[in-house]
Amino acid sequence: MADLPTTGIDISEFNGDVDIAGLKGQIDFVIIRCGYGSNYRNQDDTQYEANVRKCEAAGIPYGVYLYSYAKTTAMAESEIAHTLRLLEGKNPLYGVWYDVEDSSLPTGAQLIDNCVTYCSGMERAGYYCGIYSNLNWFNTRLNSPRLDPYDKWVAQWNDTLDYNKPFGMWQFTNNAVLNGRIFDMDRAYKDYPAIITEMEGTDMTREEVAALARQEAQKVYAENETKYKTIDSVPGWARSAVRQVYDELNLPGTAGGGEKIDASATYVRSLFVIAKVLDKINGELETSPETAPEQEGTVSESAEVPAAEEPAK
């Protein structure tokens, strides 16, 4: 059983010639782009085969992803064929991922149809398959219950991930520096090598694979519900706000010096907003006619949480 989360990078030909062996000890896995679009050899990633060989030589497990341009289910079928051709003889222990983010992709039911077509096709071929996209797309264009059976790899370049459905991987930065080079970096919250090895050793059905994925996802959700055990473990941008709310409202959990809160990321962000509301209320009380001379105008503060960047590949 891997110590979760594991940490990895995702790479393509745009990263050039990567010294994967030189990253051993700094990363646990690599997700490699195999290609993009329909099944044409000139749309294979030029570094794919070399990157796979480097991972195998270094003993670092890898997964693959295909960048989609599918506008129809027929094109999604061609993208399945493209991926399967490039997977021949390969063993992607971190799964196969469908990269759905290009601005040319369709909207509505057609996009969902394409995702279901690709993922179900890869599963029929015996591969563990999920969907990659950014947080905004998952919350809007990809927010369909038809995609709930499939794993999610969510990109949000931030110190917290704000996706409220089950997920397996998080791309948390596009600016990690390893050995002097910049990479996208990811965290995996499932033991993919164990899951996929078990799949290979049995005749699991799609429903059984989906049930296992849901079980793992629920475990991750339960862990994230108590992600921040104490106020001191809260991200720096929200820590003073959380402390203010607990002190002003006399909330339980801060006694004994431990400042235990057992809070999720959503809870912490809610406290950040409440702190802003308290500031506004306190300000109005200080300038009310009963407590201070009349003044014209009020000072308002924004209750916005720092925005996360959305990725582009």
Side-chain angles (χ1 to χ4, degrees), residues 179-267:
N179 295 353
R181 299 187 63 175
I182 296 175
F183 296 95
D184 294 346
M185 186 161 273
D186 310 275
R187 293 193 180 109
Y189 295 88
K190 298 180 184 180
D191 188 349
Y192 288 105
I195 294 170
I196 291 170
T197 299
E198 186 175 342
M199 284 172 56
E200 293 171 347
T202 64
D203 294 323
M204 293 178 71
T205 66
R206 177 176 181 271
E207 289 73 20
E208 290 170 333
V209 172
L212 178 60
R214 282 193 293 271
Q215 178 183 347
E216 290 293 320
Q218 289 302 322
K219 179 182 176 183
V220 171
Y221 177 79
E223 290 171 351
N224 283 339
E225 279 298 282
T226 56
K227 182 175 183 178
Y228 301 115
K229 296 291 187 181
T230 66
I231 291 179
D232 285 342
S233 69
V234 170
W237 62 266
R239 194 173 303 136
S240 63
V242 172
R243 192 181 303 278
Q244 174 190 353
V245 174
Y246 268 75
D247 290 344
E248 287 197 32
L249 301 185
N250 196 27
L251 297 180
T254 58
E259 298 186 317
K260 185 176 179 181
I261 57 174
D262 285 335
S264 67
T266 301
Y267 181 79

XYZ file of all heavy atoms in Angstrom, residues 179-267:
695
model
N 15.145 19.878 -10.144
C 16.443 19.837 -10.839
C 16.598 20.989 -11.833
O 17.124 20.817 -12.936
C 16.635 18.496 -11.549
C 16.726 17.334 -10.577
O 16.778 17.533 -9.366
N 16.743 16.118 -11.089
N 16.080 22.153 -11.434
C 16.249 23.342 -12.248
C 15.279 23.480 -13.402
O 15.387 24.428 -14.192
N 14.298 22.563 -13.522
C 13.330 22.629 -14.615
C 11.920 22.742 -14.052
O 11.643 22.283 -12.937
C 13.452 21.404 -15.524
C 14.828 21.292 -16.179
C 14.874 20.178 -17.200
N 13.955 20.431 -18.300
C 13.880 19.626 -19.378
N 14.660 18.563 -19.469
N 13.035 19.908 -20.349
N 11.022 23.337 -14.834
C 9.658 23.600 -14.386
C 8.722 22.499 -14.891
O 8.764 22.119 -16.069
C 9.184 24.977 -14.869
C 10.038 26.079 -14.236
C 7.707 25.191 -14.528
C 9.720 27.469 -14.743
N 7.852 22.011 -13.987
C 6.905 20.955 -14.329
C 5.534 21.252 -13.734
O 5.414 21.939 -12.716
C 7.377 19.608 -13.771
C 8.662 19.105 -14.338
C 9.865 19.345 -13.682
C 8.688 18.401 -15.528
C 11.067 18.879 -14.196
C 9.883 17.934 -16.056
C 11.074 18.172 -15.387
N 4.480 20.675 -14.373
C 3.200 20.500 -13.695
C 3.416 19.441 -12.626
O 4.100 18.444 -12.858
C 2.128 19.987 -14.655
C 1.770 20.983 -15.743
O 2.132 22.166 -15.620
O 1.132 20.558 -16.729
N 2.795 19.635 -11.456
C 2.941 18.641 -10.396
C 1.582 18.224 -9.883
O 0.635 19.025 -9.848
C 3.814 19.173 -9.265
C 4.131 18.144 -8.187
S 5.569 18.576 -7.148
C 6.894 17.886 -8.145
N 1.488 16.941 -9.494
C 0.217 16.327 -9.154
C 0.312 15.540 -7.856
O 1.390 15.058 -7.480
C -0.211 15.369 -10.273
C -0.151 16.017 -11.640
O -1.125 16.687 -12.013
O 0.877 15.874 -12.332
N -0.842 15.375 -7.207
C -0.954 14.475 -6.074
C -2.013 13.422 -6.393
O -3.094 13.748 -6.895
C -1.339 15.234 -4.802
C -0.252 16.182 -4.322
C -0.514 16.685 -2.908
N 0.568 17.590 -2.490
C 0.424 18.904 -2.346
N -0.747 19.467 -2.572
N 1.442 19.657 -1.967
N -1.692 12.180 -6.114
C -2.636 11.075 -6.311
C -3.124 10.593 -4.952
O -2.318 10.326 -4.054
C -1.965 9.930 -7.066
N -4.444 10.499 -4.799
C -5.052 10.139 -3.532
C -5.582 8.704 -3.527
O -6.253 8.288 -2.580
C -6.179 11.115 -3.206
C -5.658 12.512 -2.971
C -5.491 13.407 -4.028
C -5.304 12.928 -1.696
C -4.992 14.675 -3.818
C -4.808 14.200 -1.470
C -4.647 15.064 -2.539
O -4.141 16.329 -2.321
N -5.276 7.960 -4.563
C -5.593 6.540 -4.630
C -4.308 5.767 -4.927
O -3.410 6.287 -5.599
C -6.614 6.256 -5.737
C -7.957 6.936 -5.552
C -8.889 6.581 -6.691
C -10.213 7.329 -6.583
N -11.135 6.981 -7.689
N -4.251 4.537 -4.464
C -3.114 3.671 -4.753
C -3.363 3.019 -6.108
O -3.779 1.858 -6.204
C -2.952 2.630 -3.649
C -1.667 1.827 -3.791
O -1.011 1.937 -4.839
O -1.331 1.101 -2.841
N -3.124 3.795 -7.171
C -3.436 3.307 -8.512
C -2.694 2.022 -8.867
O -3.303 1.110 -9.448
C -3.165 4.400 -9.545
C -4.181 5.514 -9.487
C -3.865 6.747 -8.927
C -5.472 5.329 -9.974
C -4.808 7.763 -8.857
C -6.413 6.342 -9.914
C -6.074 7.556 -9.351
O -7.014 8.552 -9.284
N -1.398 1.901 -8.570
C -0.736 0.627 -8.909
C -1.428 -0.576 -8.267
O -1.567 -1.624 -8.908
C 0.680 0.829 -8.366
C 0.909 2.303 -8.470
C -0.420 2.908 -8.097
N -1.872 -0.441 -7.012
C -2.558 -1.553 -6.347
C -3.904 -1.831 -7.006
O -4.272 -2.987 -7.247
C -2.746 -1.250 -4.863
N -4.661 -0.767 -7.296
C -5.977 -0.930 -7.929
C -5.837 -1.596 -9.287
O -6.556 -2.545 -9.622
C -6.682 0.429 -8.067
C -7.022 1.009 -6.694
C -7.952 0.295 -8.910
C -7.502 2.453 -6.748
N -4.908 -1.106 -10.090
C -4.776 -1.594 -11.465
C -4.177 -2.997 -11.493
O -4.578 -3.847 -12.301
C -3.959 -0.592 -12.294
C -4.790 0.693 -12.472
C -3.565 -1.179 -13.648
C -4.041 1.858 -13.066
N -3.241 -3.290 -10.603
C -2.689 -4.642 -10.523
C -3.771 -5.633 -10.137
O -3.843 -6.747 -10.678
C -1.537 -4.692 -9.505
O -0.496 -3.807 -9.931
C -0.975 -6.105 -9.389
N -4.639 -5.231 -9.217
C -5.744 -6.104 -8.834
C -6.707 -6.321 -9.997
O -7.223 -7.428 -10.195
C -6.491 -5.512 -7.639
C -7.580 -6.435 -7.091
C -8.221 -5.887 -5.842
O -7.634 -4.994 -5.205
O -9.324 -6.374 -5.489
N -6.941 -5.274 -10.787
C -7.789 -5.418 -11.969
C -7.202 -6.432 -12.928
O -7.904 -7.265 -13.503
C -7.915 -4.073 -12.701
C -8.830 -3.077 -12.073
S -8.714 -1.473 -12.913
C -9.084 -1.928 -14.610
N -5.878 -6.374 -13.111
C -5.220 -7.264 -14.070
C -5.254 -8.707 -13.600
O -5.214 -9.631 -14.406
C -3.771 -6.815 -14.258
C -3.645 -5.469 -14.946
C -2.224 -4.941 -14.938
O -1.391 -5.502 -14.191
O -1.951 -3.982 -15.670
N -5.342 -8.895 -12.258
C -5.325 -10.247 -11.728
C -6.695 -10.874 -11.604
O -6.818 -12.004 -11.152
N -7.747 -10.178 -11.989
C -9.105 -10.691 -11.897
C -9.864 -10.352 -13.166
O -9.388 -9.629 -14.036
C -9.850 -10.048 -10.714
O -9.981 -8.641 -10.947
C -9.101 -10.265 -9.407
N -11.053 -10.892 -13.255
C -11.941 -10.563 -14.367
C -13.012 -9.605 -13.872
O -14.222 -9.866 -13.955
C -12.589 -11.825 -14.950
C -11.567 -12.742 -15.592
O -10.628 -12.213 -16.205
O -11.705 -13.972 -15.476
N -12.574 -8.460 -13.337
C -13.511 -7.501 -12.785
C -14.370 -6.900 -13.888
O -13.876 -6.586 -14.977
C -12.758 -6.384 -12.056
C -12.044 -6.838 -10.802
S -11.127 -5.482 -10.021
C -12.498 -4.503 -9.378
N -15.640 -6.717 -13.594
C -16.533 -6.048 -14.525
C -16.388 -4.545 -14.386
O -15.788 -4.045 -13.424
C -17.993 -6.439 -14.253
O -18.366 -5.921 -12.961
C -18.171 -7.947 -14.260
N -16.959 -3.824 -15.332
C -16.937 -2.365 -15.258
C -17.603 -1.893 -13.972
O -17.144 -0.949 -13.319
C -17.653 -1.780 -16.467
C -17.762 -0.261 -16.459
C -18.410 0.203 -17.761
N -18.511 1.652 -17.799
C -19.552 2.345 -17.328
N -20.557 1.715 -16.764
N -19.578 3.656 -17.422
N -18.715 -2.561 -13.588
C -19.432 -2.164 -12.379
C -18.565 -2.380 -11.140
O -18.573 -1.574 -10.204
C -20.739 -2.957 -12.269
C -21.803 -2.556 -13.278
C -21.494 -3.035 -14.698
O -20.677 -3.978 -14.847
O -22.045 -2.449 -15.648
N -17.804 -3.471 -11.115
C -16.934 -3.746 -9.976
C -15.791 -2.737 -9.887
O -15.429 -2.287 -8.802
C -16.384 -5.169 -10.066
C -17.432 -6.237 -9.834
C -16.934 -7.626 -10.171
O -16.034 -7.750 -11.031
O -17.438 -8.593 -9.583
N -15.238 -2.391 -11.049
C -14.182 -1.381 -11.070
C -14.730 -0.042 -10.577
O -14.103 0.660 -9.772
C -13.593 -1.231 -12.489
C -12.635 -0.049 -12.549
C -12.877 -2.506 -12.897
N -15.937 0.313 -11.058
C -16.543 1.578 -10.639
C -16.816 1.582 -9.137
O -16.611 2.584 -8.457
C -17.838 1.825 -11.420
N -17.265 0.441 -8.602
C -17.536 0.351 -7.166
C -16.253 0.536 -6.358
O -16.241 1.218 -5.334
C -18.183 -0.994 -6.834
N -15.156 -0.068 -6.844
C -13.873 0.093 -6.161
C -13.430 1.548 -6.198
O -12.945 2.094 -5.191
C -12.814 -0.800 -6.815
C -11.395 -0.713 -6.253
C -11.380 -1.105 -4.779
C -10.452 -1.605 -7.051
N -13.595 2.197 -7.353
C -13.213 3.607 -7.476
C -14.042 4.472 -6.532
O -13.515 5.385 -5.886
C -13.395 4.074 -8.919
N -15.351 4.188 -6.447
C -16.199 4.970 -5.549
C -15.790 4.770 -4.090
O -15.787 5.718 -3.300
C -17.671 4.577 -5.745
C -18.310 5.183 -6.985
C -19.815 5.023 -6.953
N -20.211 3.620 -7.060
C -20.420 2.997 -8.194
N -20.250 3.622 -9.345
N -20.800 1.728 -8.212
N -15.436 3.522 -3.747
C -14.997 3.241 -2.379
C -13.756 4.049 -2.030
O -13.656 4.646 -0.947
C -14.710 1.750 -2.246
C -14.200 1.333 -0.867
C -13.869 -0.142 -0.814
O -14.218 -0.913 -1.702
N -13.176 -0.544 0.225
N -12.792 4.079 -2.956
C -11.569 4.848 -2.720
C -11.875 6.339 -2.647
O -11.298 7.065 -1.830
C -10.554 4.562 -3.833
C -9.974 3.165 -3.798
C -9.096 2.940 -2.573
O -8.347 3.853 -2.204
O -9.171 1.858 -1.975
N -12.783 6.807 -3.515
C -13.116 8.230 -3.537
C -13.786 8.654 -2.233
O -13.511 9.735 -1.705
C -14.030 8.537 -4.730
N -14.675 7.804 -1.707
C -15.337 8.138 -0.449
C -14.331 8.196 0.697
O -14.457 9.017 1.609
C -16.430 7.114 -0.142
C -17.649 7.212 -1.047
C -18.310 8.582 -0.987
O -18.392 9.201 0.057
N -18.781 9.069 -2.132
N -13.324 7.338 0.630
C -12.278 7.367 1.647
C -11.537 8.696 1.605
O -11.265 9.316 2.636
C -11.301 6.212 1.410
C -10.148 6.166 2.393
C -9.212 5.009 2.049
C -8.000 5.008 2.962
N -7.044 3.929 2.609
N -11.211 9.155 0.384
C -10.537 10.440 0.234
C -11.418 11.570 0.757
O -10.953 12.476 1.453
C -10.171 10.688 -1.247
C -9.665 12.110 -1.451
C -9.117 9.683 -1.694
N -12.727 11.502 0.436
C -13.647 12.551 0.896
C -13.667 12.616 2.423
O -13.606 13.692 3.022
C -15.048 12.271 0.368
C -16.097 13.254 0.845
C -16.202 14.513 0.256
C -16.961 12.934 1.884
C -17.149 15.427 0.690
C -17.902 13.833 2.326
C -18.001 15.083 1.725
O -18.938 15.975 2.168
N -13.740 11.425 3.070
C -13.777 11.390 4.522
C -12.508 11.979 5.118
O -12.549 12.706 6.118
C -13.974 9.952 5.003
N -11.365 11.695 4.480
C -10.106 12.245 4.977
C -10.072 13.765 4.833
O -9.573 14.473 5.704
C -8.935 11.615 4.224
C -8.721 10.141 4.561
C -7.699 9.492 3.651
O -7.294 10.140 2.662
O -7.318 8.346 3.929
N -10.619 14.268 3.738
C -10.592 15.714 3.498
C -11.557 16.473 4.404
O -11.391 17.673 4.621
C -10.913 16.017 2.034
C -9.728 15.748 1.136
O -8.599 15.716 1.603
N -9.974 15.541 -0.141
N -12.571 15.784 4.920
C -13.501 16.438 5.836
C -12.797 16.902 7.105
O -13.239 17.821 7.775
C -14.652 15.491 6.183
C -15.745 15.441 5.132
C -16.431 16.794 4.945
O -17.266 17.164 5.769
O -16.095 17.472 3.963
N -11.713 16.232 7.482
C -10.934 16.627 8.662
C -9.506 16.954 8.250
O -8.548 16.610 8.948
C -10.948 15.507 9.718
O -10.469 14.300 9.122
C -12.353 15.285 10.257
N -9.381 17.629 7.121
C -8.057 17.918 6.568
C -7.230 18.801 7.488
O -6.039 18.590 7.665
C -8.227 18.597 5.204
C -6.915 18.915 4.498
C -7.186 19.476 3.116
C -5.889 19.732 2.374
N -6.137 20.242 1.012
N -7.854 19.826 8.067
C -7.147 20.761 8.935
C -7.500 20.454 10.387
O -8.583 20.774 10.862
C -7.497 22.199 8.563
C -7.150 22.531 7.131
C -8.141 22.827 6.203
C -5.832 22.513 6.700
C -7.816 23.109 4.881
C -5.506 22.791 5.383
C -6.493 23.090 4.476
O -6.164 23.357 3.174
N -6.557 19.817 11.079
C -6.821 19.358 12.438
C -6.801 20.498 13.449
O -7.504 20.458 14.457
C -5.777 18.315 12.837
C -5.826 17.041 11.996
C -7.078 16.252 12.276
C -7.071 14.911 11.572
N -8.298 14.132 11.818
N -5.954 21.495 13.213
C -5.830 22.618 14.148
C -5.824 23.924 13.365
O -5.631 23.930 12.140
C -4.526 22.534 14.958
O -3.421 22.692 14.064
C -4.416 21.203 15.691
N -5.987 25.032 14.088
C -5.938 26.337 13.433
C -4.563 26.562 12.812
O -4.441 27.112 11.714
C -6.284 27.465 14.431
C -7.765 27.381 14.815
C -5.966 28.844 13.836
C -8.213 28.427 15.812
N -3.519 26.093 13.463
C -2.172 26.295 12.944
C -1.916 25.522 11.649
O -0.976 25.825 10.919
C -1.124 25.892 13.989
C -1.004 26.927 15.102
O -1.457 28.073 14.892
O -0.475 26.583 16.176
N -2.746 24.517 11.352
C -2.573 23.757 10.119
C -3.338 24.359 8.954
O -3.189 23.915 7.811
C -3.021 22.309 10.327
O -4.433 22.224 10.492
N -4.154 25.377 9.210
C -4.916 26.058 8.158
C -3.955 26.857 7.282
O -2.960 27.399 7.775
C -5.968 26.996 8.804
C -6.610 27.912 7.778
C -7.023 26.165 9.521
N -4.199 26.950 5.947
C -3.327 27.761 5.086
C -3.172 29.176 5.622
O -4.107 29.753 6.197
C -4.069 27.757 3.743
C -4.866 26.501 3.753
C -5.268 26.282 5.177
N -1.996 29.742 5.421
C -1.663 31.034 6.000
C -2.637 32.145 5.665
O -2.931 32.996 6.506
N -3.182 32.139 4.427
C -4.063 33.242 4.028
C -5.359 33.275 4.846
O -6.003 34.311 4.966
C -4.400 33.169 2.536
C -5.135 31.928 2.115
C -4.604 30.774 1.630
C -6.557 31.721 2.148
N -5.583 29.855 1.366
C -6.793 30.413 1.657
C -7.636 32.501 2.535
C -8.077 29.873 1.550
C -8.919 31.968 2.430
C -9.122 30.671 1.938
N -5.753 32.119 5.443
C -7.022 32.062 6.171
C -6.845 31.922 7.677
O -7.824 32.021 8.423
C -7.853 30.879 5.654
N -5.608 31.717 8.142
C -5.405 31.344 9.543
C -5.902 32.417 10.514
O -6.603 32.120 11.480
C -3.920 31.053 9.790
C -3.641 30.344 11.112
C -2.172 29.941 11.172
N -1.826 29.115 10.041
C -0.718 29.252 9.305
N 0.151 30.200 9.614
N -0.474 28.447 8.290
N -5.553 33.675 10.262
C -5.957 34.734 11.196
C -7.469 34.910 11.197
O -8.078 35.189 12.242
C -5.264 36.053 10.841
O -5.657 36.491 9.548
N -8.095 34.717 10.041
C -9.550 34.837 9.962
C -10.228 33.727 10.757
O -11.208 33.951 11.477
C -10.006 34.795 8.508
N -9.709 32.497 10.644
C -10.276 31.376 11.389
C -10.131 31.616 12.890
O -11.074 31.423 13.675
C -9.588 30.060 10.977
C -10.041 28.910 11.882
C -9.893 29.738 9.516
N -8.948 32.071 13.299
C -8.722 32.341 14.712
C -9.689 33.426 15.215
O -10.240 33.349 16.312
C -7.272 32.771 14.925
C -6.863 32.799 16.405
C -5.415 33.256 16.534
N -4.509 32.423 15.795
C -4.036 31.266 16.245
N -4.410 30.825 17.427
N -3.200 30.558 15.508
N -9.906 34.469 14.395
C -10.802 35.558 14.773
C -12.222 35.047 15.005
O -12.872 35.398 15.995
C -10.809 36.624 13.678
C -11.834 37.735 13.914
C -11.989 38.638 12.699
O -11.238 38.522 11.732
N -12.962 39.511 12.734
N -12.719 34.217 14.081
C -14.085 33.710 14.213
C -14.223 32.850 15.459
O -15.194 32.966 16.224
C -14.471 32.911 12.951
C -15.833 32.250 13.144
C -14.522 33.838 11.737
N -13.247 31.962 15.688
C -13.311 31.101 16.867
C -13.283 31.919 18.158
O -13.989 31.614 19.121
C -12.172 30.080 16.837
C -12.576 28.790 16.170
C -12.693 28.711 14.791
C -12.881 27.656 16.924
C -13.085 27.536 14.168
C -13.277 26.480 16.324
C -13.381 26.412 14.940
O -13.776 25.258 14.340
N -12.467 32.972 18.185
C -12.373 33.793 19.390
C -13.625 34.636 19.608
O -14.189 34.674 20.708
C -11.138 34.700 19.304
C -9.838 33.919 19.427
O -9.895 32.755 19.870
O -8.775 34.470 19.068
N -14.082 35.332 18.541
C -15.215 36.243 18.695
C -16.518 35.507 18.982
O -17.365 35.989 19.742
C -15.374 37.114 17.447
C -14.306 38.186 17.303
C -14.717 39.262 16.308
O -15.924 39.536 16.196
O -13.814 39.823 15.653
N -16.703 34.350 18.357
C -17.952 33.604 18.529
C -17.849 32.536 19.603
O -18.803 31.794 19.843
C -18.369 32.975 17.210
C -18.592 33.944 16.046
C -19.114 33.213 14.823
C -19.546 35.062 16.432
N -16.658 32.449 20.230
C -16.450 31.485 21.313
C -16.816 30.070 20.882
O -17.533 29.337 21.572
C -17.261 31.882 22.551
C -16.791 31.144 23.800
O -15.629 30.747 23.898
N -17.698 30.964 24.742
N -16.324 29.683 19.711
C -16.619 28.346 19.196
C -15.833 27.296 19.975
O -14.730 27.546 20.439
C -16.251 28.266 17.720
C -17.035 29.186 16.773
C -16.570 28.991 15.350
C -18.533 28.927 16.885
N -16.388 26.094 20.099
C -15.659 25.031 20.806
C -14.484 24.543 19.961
O -14.446 24.724 18.753
C -16.716 23.930 20.956
C -17.662 24.152 19.823
C -17.723 25.657 19.645
N -13.521 23.951 20.623
C -12.416 23.351 19.885
C -11.094 24.034 20.104
O -10.061 23.508 19.692
N -11.091 25.213 20.725
C -9.833 25.931 20.888
C -9.271 25.808 22.299
O -8.223 26.345 22.600
C -10.006 27.422 20.559
O -11.010 27.969 21.424
C -10.431 27.604 19.127
N -9.968 25.117 23.167
C -9.511 25.006 24.554
C -8.317 24.070 24.658
O -8.095 23.222 23.801
C -10.645 24.492 25.432
N -7.558 24.249 25.719
C -6.461 23.344 25.987
C -5.210 23.619 25.193
O -4.270 22.844 25.237
N -5.178 24.694 24.436
C -3.985 25.072 23.692
C -3.799 24.342 22.375
O -2.950 24.696 21.575
N -4.604 23.296 22.121
C -4.429 22.537 20.885
C -5.109 23.157 19.690
O -4.762 22.888 18.555
N -6.128 23.969 19.944
C -6.887 24.652 18.893
C -7.392 23.666 17.838
O -7.295 23.873 16.640
C -6.044 25.753 18.239
C -5.642 26.841 19.218
C -4.932 27.990 18.538
O -4.089 27.730 17.682
O -5.254 29.125 18.864
N -7.945 22.564 18.291
C -8.420 21.526 17.393
C -9.693 21.980 16.686
O -10.620 22.486 17.322
C -8.684 20.245 18.189
C -9.062 19.051 17.329
C -9.214 17.806 18.203
C -9.605 16.610 17.349
N -9.775 15.394 18.168
N -9.741 21.788 15.365
C -10.945 22.189 14.632
C -11.474 21.086 13.713
O -12.646 21.052 13.397
C -10.716 23.473 13.801
C -9.560 23.307 12.822
C -10.499 24.657 14.707
C -9.387 24.483 11.887
N -10.621 20.157 13.236
C -11.057 19.082 12.346
C -11.924 19.630 11.203
O -13.093 19.261 11.033
C -11.847 18.014 13.112
C -10.925 17.137 13.939
O -9.741 17.033 13.580
O -11.377 16.567 14.934
N -11.356 20.524 10.406
C -12.141 21.259 9.414
C -11.804 20.841 7.986
O -10.667 20.512 7.673
C -11.893 22.759 9.568
N -12.808 20.878 7.122
C -12.588 20.690 5.693
C -12.162 22.015 5.057
O -12.277 23.085 5.666
C -13.878 20.211 5.021
O -14.857 21.245 5.063
N -11.697 21.942 3.803
C -11.313 23.163 3.090
C -12.512 24.085 2.899
O -12.400 25.310 2.996
C -10.692 22.806 1.740
N -13.681 23.501 2.655
C -14.895 24.312 2.481
C -15.240 25.049 3.770
O -15.610 26.226 3.753
C -16.068 23.414 2.063
O -15.729 22.750 0.846
C -17.336 24.231 1.856
N -15.093 24.367 4.901
C -15.372 24.984 6.200
C -14.426 26.152 6.450
O -14.848 27.224 6.903
C -15.216 23.913 7.278
C -15.480 24.366 8.700
C -16.777 24.500 9.182
C -14.429 24.647 9.564
C -17.018 24.899 10.487
C -14.660 25.049 10.873
C -15.956 25.176 11.326
O -16.192 25.579 12.615
